[in-house]
Amino acid sequence: MIPEGATIGVPLEFCPRSSLSESIPLIVELCVGIVEARGLESVGVYRVPGNSVAVNALSDSLNRGFDGLNQSDPRWNDVNVISSLMKSFFRKLPDPLVTSELYGALIEASKTEPEQVRFNSIKRLVDELPEPHYSTLRYLVGHLSRVAGKSHVNKMEARNLAIVFGPTLIRPGDDSTVTMVTDMSHQCRIVETLI
């Protein structure tokens, strides 16, 4: 049973909704807004981890619901805490953002050449995602593209962002360590292609 208002560790479709779209979780809108307002020029944004105690405290707070959320809490001002919170949200989704059902086909698509064929194959598969997954991925990729657009300052080119997000967004259903290690370069390549 999922507690009402819970956000971390619950299926994407049960997360509290964004004001932008019924398909995007509120936590993603919140974190993206903070990172874009304060962190686009922060060196290593998404690579430099935030304080884990602060991330856990915000996670616990979010899982009690957004109604009692104290946005004046100074931890909401720490870009690295917020970027770590968002990575944690995606890592703890029961079914990854890019659903485990599409995992094998996406890994195979990432191996195709030339680049345009690979791009079209990945796009076709992404279009098959359920609506909340597709809309959230589209919103996140737009954000990561804006982060990469400031890479001359923040040092987070598309490839660096893909290394951070690849294994988080694209995971096999069985969480097999061997599969994860074997496929890591492809997971990253898919996310880099999307960005």
Side-chain angles (χ1 to χ4, degrees):
M1 175 95 178
I2 298 165
E4 189 170 333
T7 296
I8 309 286
V10 302
L12 196 62
E13 56 273 15
F14 296 125
C15 293
R17 311 319 306 159
S18 155
S19 61
L20 304 171
S21 163
E22 270 299 304
S23 299
I24 299 170
L26 182 54
I27 183 175
V28 176
E29 176 191 355
L30 220 72
C31 292
V32 163
I34 292 167
V35 171
E36 290 196 1
R38 299 191 194 109
L40 285 181
E41 297 189 354
S42 177
V43 175
V45 65
Y46 288 115
R47 189 177 57 229
V48 176
N51 177 295
S52 61
V53 173
V55 172
N56 291 337
L58 290 181
S59 293
D60 292 344
S61 171
L62 285 167
N63 270 350
R64 288 192 294 276
F66 279 85
D67 296 340
L69 199 61
N70 176 9
Q71 282 194 282
S72 62
D73 181 325
R75 293 176 286 212
W76 284 106
N77 293 321
D78 185 326
V79 169
N80 293 327
V81 167
I82 299 308
S83 64
S84 293
L85 177 65
M86 188 157 78
K87 288 187 301 188
S88 173
F89 166 76
F90 285 117
R91 193 172 36 256
K92 292 180 178 177
L93 282 173
D95 192 18
L97 185 59
V98 177
T99 59
S100 52
E101 183 184 327
L102 291 177
Y103 183 82
L106 268 166
I107 295 299
E108 286 310 307
S110 79
K111 296 175 182 176
T112 57
E113 294 293 342
E115 185 178 359
Q116 192 58 47
V117 173
R118 179 174 61 251
F119 177 80
N120 291 336
S121 300
I122 290 171
K123 183 183 181 324
R124 193 177 60 254
L125 287 164
V126 165
D127 287 345
E128 293 177 23
L129 286 170
E131 179 50 36
H133 291 259
Y134 177 83
S135 292
T136 304
L137 179 64
R138 185 181 171 124
Y139 183 70
L140 177 64
V141 166
H143 165 65
L144 295 178
S145 295
R146 289 186 290 279
V147 172
K150 294 279 189 175
S151 63
H152 60 285
V153 181
N154 64 32
K155 309 296 183 219
M156 294 302 288
E157 297 85 12
R159 171 157 298 188
N160 291 342
L161 290 164
I163 290 167
V164 170
F165 278 95
T168 300
L169 302 179
I170 304 167
R171 303 187 312 264
D174 59 5
D175 281 333
S176 155
T177 308
V178 174
T179 306
M180 292 288 278
V181 170
T182 307
D183 293 344
M184 188 174 287
S185 64
H186 296 293
Q187 293 164 326
C188 297
R189 188 179 202 182
I190 292 163
V191 173
E192 186 177 0
T193 298
L194 292 173
I195 294 172

